[in-house]
């Protein structure tokens, strides 16, 4: 059963879901053909589940950027986060949308071999979007709305990859398959998923499940895409509420301070950098701090020992989901701000003017990011 793929928490089964969990599950099942494990792992915290779904769905539902580019960005982000499960999922999507060659180039972290120059540019930028330095150039030929969609995809999958690394197995596909068998299986799955990748989506459905956030409270990079702006503002409020109820203030400050100096580097095999930051904390706060720091900066390093120590002091499932979701969202938000900086030197109407030239029209006056 799907819920057995989730570690550390007892998920709400689809057939027994009620209230907000049932509402989110219904949308997920309608659009993805089943309630996928990344959704189920959030179910002990219903509002966080709804926040995850808005964060994930709404940038994908917007129709300014084609789904092939979004899947390429999601796959590249998955590689950056060392999340094989997510990389498998999104390169499977690329099989149907852009072909085996480009999908496998991204999967192998050889983005320079992607044949489609547009997808190559998007994937290269997304792969390095978390870095303070040495980022690949941001795609410049985009409208403000398209920029917001692509940044939304990058931020959403920086969040999702961290949560998947914590709660799901490393692999979506059986790890013992030969390369040829993996490609054949991906091709077959891509055909099954074709409707979920190609059917149009009505914007705003997921956001409607959350309390509306005050206007102007979303991240600055979403101004060009109102539906994505509403989704992220509402989701961020949910993650802040999760932190208020489940993350000790000292741990929040610790994670935020560490992220402020993080330049996108991998932390390496040792976790001594993490332990040094915890020496002055109580055992309960140290367990929470360890889990939060690793979720934000090295989610692939989290194991039963880290989670078990946290559960010794904080035994309920909701607290575990709250803390990891807040840490994931906080790190992903940092990436979003770095993405926004990539376009700061691009004239605000550059994409609009380029698209207008292709249509043989002039852009409307006063278009701004």
């Amino acid at each position: 059963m799907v819920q057995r793929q989730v570690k550390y928490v007892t998920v709400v089964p689809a057939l027994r879901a009620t209230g907000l969990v049932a509402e989110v599950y219904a949308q997920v099942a309608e659009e993805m053909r089943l309630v996928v494990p990344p959704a189920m792992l959030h179910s002990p915290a219903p509002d966080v589940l709804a926040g995850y779904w808005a964060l994930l769905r709404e940038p994908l539902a917007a129709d300014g950027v084609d789904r092939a580019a979004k899947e390429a960005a999601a796959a590249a982000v998955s590689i950056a986060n060392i999340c094989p499960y997510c990389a498998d999922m999104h390169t499977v999507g690329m099989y149907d949308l852009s072909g085996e060659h480009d999908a496998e180039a991204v999967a192998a972290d050889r983005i320079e071999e992607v044949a489609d120059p547009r997808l190559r540019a998007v994937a290269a930028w997304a792969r390095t979007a978390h870095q303070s330095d040495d980022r690949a150039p941001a795609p410049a030929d985009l409208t403000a709305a398209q920029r917001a969609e692509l940044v939304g995809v990058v931020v959403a999958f920086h969040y999702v990859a961290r949560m998947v690394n914590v709660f799901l197995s490393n692999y979506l596909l059986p790890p013992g398959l030969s390369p040829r068998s993996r490609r054949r299986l991906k091709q077959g799955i891509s055909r099954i998923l074709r409707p979920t990748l190609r059917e149009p989506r009505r914007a705003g459905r997921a956001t409607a499940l959350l309390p509306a956030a005050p206007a102007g409270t979303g991240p600055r990079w979403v101004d060009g895409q109102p539906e994505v702006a509403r989704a992220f503002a509402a989701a961020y409020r949910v993650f802040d509420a999760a932190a208020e109820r489940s993350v000790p203030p000292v741990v929040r400050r610790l994670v935020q301070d560490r992220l402020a100096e993080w330049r996108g580097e991998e932390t390496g095999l040792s976790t001594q950098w993490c332990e040094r930051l915890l020496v002055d904390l109580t055992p309960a706060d140290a367990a929470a701090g360890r889990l939060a720091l690793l979720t934000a900066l090295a989610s692939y390093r989290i194991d039963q020992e880290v989670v078990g120590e946290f559960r010794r002091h904080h035994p309920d499932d909701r607290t575990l989901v709250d803390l990891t979701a807040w840490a994931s969202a906080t790190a992903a938000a940092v990436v979003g701000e770095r993405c926004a900086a990539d376009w700061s030197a691009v004239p605000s109407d550059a994409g609009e003017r380029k698209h207008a030239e292709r249509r043989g029209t002039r852009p409307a006056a006063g278009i701004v990011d």
Side-chain angles (χ1 to χ4, degrees):
M1 297 176 68
V2 173
Q3 59 260 35
R4 291 178 183 167
Q5 298 179 31
V6 181
K7 301 182 290 187
Y8 307 134
V9 296
T10 301
V11 304
V12 177
L15 294 178
R16 296 214 296 268
T18 59
L20 183 58
V21 174
E23 292 182 84
V24 176
Y25 277 9
Q27 285 193 14
V28 175
E30 179 183 340
E31 298 191 5
M32 295 187 166
R33 301 302 187 263
L34 78 161
V35 183
V36 293
M40 299 190 89
L41 70 85
H42 290 84
S43 62
D47 59 336
V48 175
L49 168 63
Y52 143 82
W53 179 234
L55 203 72
L56 174 75
R57 180 193 185 273
E58 295 306 324
L60 293 176
D63 60 3
V65 177
D66 63 276
R67 187 62 180 264
K70 292 177 180 179
E71 289 296 314
V77 167
S78 303
I79 296 295
N81 281 283
I82 314 178
C83 182
Y85 183 105
C86 298
D88 281 346
M89 187 73 256
H90 298 291
T91 53
V92 162
M94 289 184 68
Y95 262 68
D96 183 66
L97 296 166
S98 53
E100 177 182 325
H101 178 274
D102 285 356
E104 288 303 319
V106 176
D109 203 14
R110 295 196 296 268
I111 291 172
E112 70 280 1
E113 297 178 11
V114 172
D116 184 319
R118 184 180 59 92
L119 295 185
R120 184 170 62 246
V122 169
W125 165 74
R127 174 66 175 83
T128 58
H130 61 292
Q131 298 173 188
S132 291
D133 307 306
D134 299 323
R135 287 198 299 276
D141 186 13
L142 297 173
T143 67
Q146 290 170 331
R147 296 176 194 176
E149 285 178 37
L150 269 185
V151 176
V153 169
V154 168
V155 173
F157 285 100
H158 267 281
Y159 171 86
V160 171
R162 285 167 167 82
M163 294 298 284
V164 166
N165 273 342
V166 174
F167 289 100
L168 298 182
S169 64
N170 285 339
Y171 298 98
L172 175 69
L173 305 180
L177 294 176
S178 69
R180 181 181 180 186
S181 295
R182 282 179 60 82
R183 291 193 298 271
R184 291 180 65 184
L185 182 56
K186 282 185 173 184
Q187 189 68 61
I189 296 173
S190 75
R191 294 193 188 101
I192 296 171
L193 293 179
R194 180 170 295 171
T196 74
L197 297 167
R198 294 178 178 270
E199 289 177 358
R201 304 285 184 232
R202 176 168 57 86
R205 287 189 74 205
T207 312
L209 300 177
L210 293 168
T217 59
R220 63 192 175 105
W221 49 261
V222 294
D223 292 344
Q225 230 299 350
E227 288 294 351
V228 177
R230 282 189 280 271
F232 274 71
Y236 281 9
R237 290 187 80 197
V238 164
F239 298 130
D240 286 342
E244 287 290 334
R245 67 182 175 239
S246 297
V247 186
V250 66
V251 172
R252 277 178 262 161
R253 290 193 298 271
L254 185 66
V255 172
Q256 289 163 344
D257 289 347
R258 180 64 182 85
L259 283 170
E261 62 185 34
W262 177 57
R263 305 189 66 79
E265 72 280 1
E266 292 183 16
T267 60
L269 295 177
S270 172
T271 59
Q272 286 305 303
W273 64 270
C274 179
E275 298 305 317
R276 285 194 293 269
L277 297 172
L278 306 173
V279 291
D280 294 327
L281 302 188
T282 66
D285 286 347
R290 181 179 299 107
L291 180 59
L293 284 165
L294 290 175
T295 298
L297 294 164
S299 56
Y300 55 90
R301 299 301 309 277
I302 291 175
D303 56 19
Q304 178 66 58
E305 183 178 353
V306 173
V307 175
E309 179 62 16
F310 176 80
R311 297 299 292 264
R312 195 164 70 84
H313 302 281
H314 312 279
D316 62 295
D317 287 353
R318 182 170 187 168
T319 301
L320 176 57
V321 173
D322 279 350
L323 181 140
T324 50
W326 173 80
S328 298
T330 301
V334 170
V335 178
E337 291 304 308
R338 290 178 183 171
C339 290
D342 287 338
W343 279 295
S344 61
V346 178
S348 61
D349 65 346
E352 284 83 357
R353 291 186 183 280
K354 190 69 172 179
H355 283 257
E357 289 170 8
R358 289 173 178 166
R359 295 192 306 267
T361 61
R362 298 183 64 185
I367 296 175
V368 296
D369 279 343

